[in-house]
């Protein structure tokens, strides 16, 4: 029995698209980290990543997978542009003992990018966004940080996108 080639091709293309999104998100966290450390403008860091880092397999950037550059660029530029608004909103989802300004730089970058996507990229399911940023945080941290990211982004998603959680809950009860 043989598989239909068009189905296999679509599936392969879908997974390639997901990997490109994952690579874009990881690269975005790295770029946001660089911006935090150096104070560089987002546009110049995005240009630098495009010229020297994104899709350059010899650097090991984003696990040798071509990144979705438009997603990468959007996340970096919009998170940086809206950082104070994002931080203010995130503050409501973070324990008062850990204000966002006191978090490690990578953690702030992960939470900001995840929050931005939850609020503005409504075409992506919130559970997928949360899972991706938890996975990214797991690459940088080894203790409770991934659980912290999960909790903060989950609380934010339930406020920003309540319909996604309500509809899945009503299916579970049936």
């Amino acid at each position: 029995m043989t598989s239909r080639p068009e189905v296999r091709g679509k599936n392969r293309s879908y997974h390639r698209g997901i990997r490109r999104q994952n690579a874009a998100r990881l690269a975005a966290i790295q770029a946001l980290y660089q911006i935090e450390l150096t104070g560089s403008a987002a546009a110049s860091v995005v240009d630098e990543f495009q010229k020297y880092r994104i899709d350059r397999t010899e650097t090991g950037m984003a696990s040798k997978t071509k990144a979705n550059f438009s997603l990468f660029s959007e996340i970096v530029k919009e998170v940086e542009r809206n950082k104070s608004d994002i931080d203010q909103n995130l503050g409501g989802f973070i324990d008062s003992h850990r204000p966002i300004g006191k978090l490690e730089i990578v953690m702030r970058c992960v939470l900001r990018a995840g929050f931005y996507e939850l609020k503005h990229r409504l075409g992506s399911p919130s559970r997928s966004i949360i899972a991706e940023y938890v996975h990214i945080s797991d690459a940088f941290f080894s203790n409770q940080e991934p659980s912290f990211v999960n909790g903060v982004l989950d609380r934010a998603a339930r406020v920003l996108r309540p319909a996604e959680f309500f509809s899945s809950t009503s299916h579970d009860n049936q």
Side-chain angles (χ1 to χ4, degrees):
M1 184 160 102
T2 60
S3 298
R4 294 186 344 212
E6 62 274 6
V7 172
R8 189 175 37 209
K10 284 181 184 178
N11 197 20
R12 205 175 285 149
S13 177
Y14 170 78
H15 289 293
R16 186 178 317 117
I18 296 296
R19 287 191 309 269
R20 288 179 56 123
Q21 288 178 356
N22 297 352
R25 289 177 172 128
L26 176 59
I29 298 306
Q30 293 168 329
L32 291 167
Y33 179 83
Q34 180 175 327
I35 291 167
E36 280 283 307
L37 283 181
T38 65
S40 300
S44 67
V45 173
V46 167
D47 289 344
E48 175 189 329
F49 269 64
Q50 183 178 28
K51 288 178 187 170
Y52 303 110
R53 297 184 185 180
I54 296 247
D55 302 337
R56 302 275 186 203
T57 57
E58 68 272 12
T59 65
M61 170 62 75
S63 67
K64 298 184 181 183
T65 299
K66 285 190 169 200
N68 177 330
F69 183 75
S70 63
L71 176 61
F72 161 78
S73 179
E74 176 190 340
I75 293 170
V76 173
K77 289 178 180 177
E78 293 301 317
V79 166
E80 196 55 27
R81 180 178 299 135
N82 299 297
K83 184 169 38 178
S84 62
D85 181 52
I86 291 170
D87 286 357
Q88 184 177 0
N89 283 293
L90 269 172
F93 302 108
I94 297 174
D95 183 353
S96 61
H97 301 308
R98 295 176 79 176
I100 192 153
K102 299 289 185 186
L103 297 175
E104 294 177 67
I105 295 172
V106 173
M107 179 62 69
R108 285 195 306 259
C109 295
V110 168
L111 290 174
R112 287 172 178 158
F115 184 85
Y116 166 78
E117 285 204 62
L118 288 170
K119 188 171 182 182
H120 297 285
R121 295 192 50 83
L122 301 177
S124 298
S126 59
R127 292 176 196 266
S128 297
I129 292 169
I130 294 167
E132 184 60 30
Y133 285 103
V134 168
H135 179 71
I136 289 170
S137 69
D138 198 40
F140 290 104
F141 301 102
S142 59
N143 293 319
Q144 297 300 316
E145 291 88 348
S147 295
F148 178 71
V149 168
N150 185 59
V152 170
L153 294 180
D154 183 70
R155 284 190 296 277
R158 289 174 186 276
V159 170
L160 295 170
R161 301 178 177 196
E164 286 185 45
F165 292 90
F166 176 73
S167 63
S168 66
T169 303
S170 62
H171 291 310
D172 292 342
N173 293 334
Q174 293 179 350

